[in-house]
Amino acid sequence: MDIVKILAIAGSATLLFMVLELIRRGRLKERYSLLWLFSGIVLLVLSLSRSLLEYFSQLIGIFYPPSLLFLIAFVFLLLITLHFSAVISGLSEKNKRLTQDIALLHQAVEELKQSSTEQVKSLDE
Amino acid sequence: MPNNKLPRVVLIFPMNKILIIVPAYNEEESLHGVIQDLRSHVPQADILVVDDGSGDRTATVARQSGVKLASLSFNLGIGGAMQTGFQYARTKGYDIAIQFDGDGQHLAAEIGILLDKLQKGTADIVIGSRFLDRGDYRPSFFRRIGISIFSTVLSTIIGIPVTDTTSGFRAVNRRVIEFFSCVYPEDYPEVESLVLLHRAGMTIAEAPVHMRDRTGGRSSITPIRSAYYMVKVLLAVFVDLLKK
């Protein structure tokens, strides 16, 4: 077994383990972990099976098979960050709505306070 | 000042509920004057100040003046602030909403010009334009280029000429209030909101107005921001066109 293979297996196994552990502890929600899980599994399978790695490398014309692992990892990272940008956009929209709702609720409370003090005053007279 | 010659806005719409939305970000110096100006010229309208997470006494000034106040917990930008105003107008059943900036550059006496045009019912939104027929506003060279680019792009998209695309002095009817309380662009909403309105089938019109120099505070416009502004707005407009 060459060093590259050992490193690749260790790296992808660690990644997969960390993702699973985060999910198990409830630190990572399932919907945000799918891409991570998927990339960990694909990398681990390709690290374990040299023949599979060589097959896919030849298919797309990569001369040094382990660099396919880099390519796959890179593509997954791109997808994950893109996914995050979409998630953040959604969050910032919700954040905006919440802020607006709070401001309008405050305004409603102020108006209620005013009308109730006016009612008390008119009752006193 | 030309506003002294203009008559007080009398009750043109006895049955229409009018809300003036004043977005204000760090405008403690000018806000009081703006509110007085509005009260003396448009007494029949309600005033809502939207404090956009100001760090100064903007909210306090508004509260002391006795106007309605919606205070945002942090700075959302002019788009988020204006949308808060439209949401208020929608839930409280206002027929007309007017955007009137808190920095004192608009003249309350000219609100009647916008209302007149809106009342005719041929437009859903009336924009106060600095460039229609009266020419006392002289922008710098670069601003003029920017303004003419926006104007050309927007007029092409909408199909009718719009001279002052970035004007923050606008009057809208109930249809637009309902539309804007759901959909309103965030960062630099003026140009983009017109494209959205056009695509929603609303009619846009302009009316000639004046603008004053700022009475206090500081403008948020710098050369770098202007360039960013141009790119961002044009991008947003084209993205809007691609959306279904």
Side-chain angles (χ1 to χ4, degrees):
Chain A
M1 246 213 279
D2 54 322
I3 294 179
V4 176
K5 189 171 177 181
I6 295 169
L7 279 177
I9 292 171
S12 42
T14 314
L15 173 68
L16 203 56
F17 173 75
M18 281 164 64
V19 174
L20 286 172
E21 190 59 19
L22 282 172
I23 297 171
R24 200 178 61 80
R25 288 189 198 164
R27 300 264 305 272
L28 196 62
K29 286 195 177 180
E30 283 81 356
R31 58 193 293 200
Y32 300 122
S33 61
L34 281 181
L35 269 169
W36 284 116
L37 271 181
F38 194 55
S39 63
I41 291 167
V42 169
L43 287 176
L44 186 61
V45 168
L46 288 178
S47 312
L48 285 170
S49 155
R50 181 87 197 192
S51 56
L52 212 58
L53 189 67
E54 272 165 7
Y55 172 75
F56 283 118
S57 310
Q58 270 180 351
L59 212 64
I60 51 175
I62 290 174
F63 295 112
Y64 179 59
S67 53
L68 179 65
L69 292 176
F70 284 106
L71 179 67
I72 291 172
F74 175 75
V75 169
F76 271 119
L77 279 180
L78 267 187
L79 285 177
I80 289 168
T81 35
L82 190 62
H83 176 227
F84 282 171
S85 299
V87 170
I88 290 171
S89 301
L91 285 177
S92 76
E93 176 66 23
K94 286 177 189 163
N95 202 19
K96 186 186 84 180
R97 295 276 163 179
L98 280 176
T99 314
Q100 291 171 331
D101 283 353
I102 290 174
L104 291 174
L105 280 174
H106 266 297
Q107 153 66 22
V109 169
E110 285 299 318
E111 268 179 20
L112 275 177
K113 265 195 211 161
Q114 270 178 9
S115 66
S116 69
T117 46
E118 274 159 25
Q119 271 180 351
V120 169
K121 265 183 204 164
S122 63
L123 281 176
D124 283 348
E125 277 162 13
Chain B
M1 272 290 130
N3 56 327
N4 296 331
K5 290 176 218 150
L6 286 158
R8 222 159 182 258
V9 181
V10 279
L11 280 164
I12 325 170
F13 310 94
M15 58 297 180
N16 276 354
K17 278 177 80 182
I18 303 173
L19 179 71
I20 300 173
I21 304 168
V22 182
Y25 178 55
N26 291 340
E27 301 288 5
E28 60 175 9
E29 290 165 43
S30 52
L31 190 60
H32 185 67
V34 168
I35 292 169
Q36 283 197 320
D37 193 20
L38 287 170
R39 280 211 170 119
S40 62
H41 286 101
V42 206
Q44 76 274 29
D46 289 336
I47 301 169
L48 172 75
V49 170
V50 183
D51 167 31
D52 191 9
S54 300
D56 67 356
R57 294 177 57 258
T58 299
T60 316
V61 172
R63 210 171 282 125
Q64 280 167 356
S65 324
V67 296
K68 298 170 191 299
L69 169 72
S71 208
L72 296 169
S73 313
F74 52 88
N75 185 258
L76 283 186
I78 178 77
M82 275 313 295
Q83 193 178 31
T84 312
F86 290 121
Q87 286 165 352
Y88 182 84
R90 192 200 55 200
T91 43
K92 295 284 173 168
Y94 284 93
D95 305 301
I96 291 172
I98 294 161
Q99 175 180 354
F100 194 90
D101 284 351
D103 58 6
Q105 64 169 322
H106 304 147
L107 308 171
E110 293 184 329
I111 284 178
I113 301 173
L114 301 191
L115 284 179
D116 266 345
K117 196 140 189 176
L118 198 67
Q119 186 197 27
K120 281 181 193 147
T122 48
D124 297 296
I125 176 171
V126 179
I127 306 160
S129 168
R130 290 160 281 191
F131 309 121
L132 280 179
D133 73 45
R134 307 183 202 169
D136 54 356
Y137 174 67
R138 288 273 171 270
S140 69
F141 177 67
F142 287 108
R143 275 196 101 169
R144 237 183 359 254
I145 292 179
I147 287 162
S148 72
I149 290 176
F150 280 150
S151 179
T152 312
V153 169
L154 210 67
S155 304
T156 314
I157 294 172
I158 296 179
I160 57 154
V162 179
T163 55
D164 199 350
T165 56
T166 58
S167 166
F169 188 21
R170 303 166 164 204
V172 306
N173 65 9
R174 181 77 196 171
R175 273 181 82 198
V176 178
I177 290 175
E178 274 164 19
F179 180 78
F180 275 166
S181 58
C182 298
V183 188
Y184 201 69
E186 270 175 40
D187 287 350
Y188 301 106
E190 288 85 8
V191 180
E192 204 187 332
S193 60
L194 295 181
V195 178
L196 293 175
L197 281 183
H198 172 69
R199 288 176 64 84
M202 314 272 186
T203 318
I204 299 162
E206 282 190 311
V209 296
H210 292 86
M211 301 229 178
R212 255 194 299 252
D213 289 334
R214 300 177 62 82
T215 54
R218 198 184 304 150
S219 168
S220 52
I221 296 165
T222 64
I224 295 170
R225 279 199 196 161
S226 306
Y228 171 69
Y229 176 93
M230 290 283 311
V231 174
K232 198 259 157 192
V233 171
L234 288 177
L235 186 71
V237 166
F238 290 122
V239 168
D240 281 335
L241 288 178
L242 292 176
K243 281 183 192 164
K244 134 188 110 61

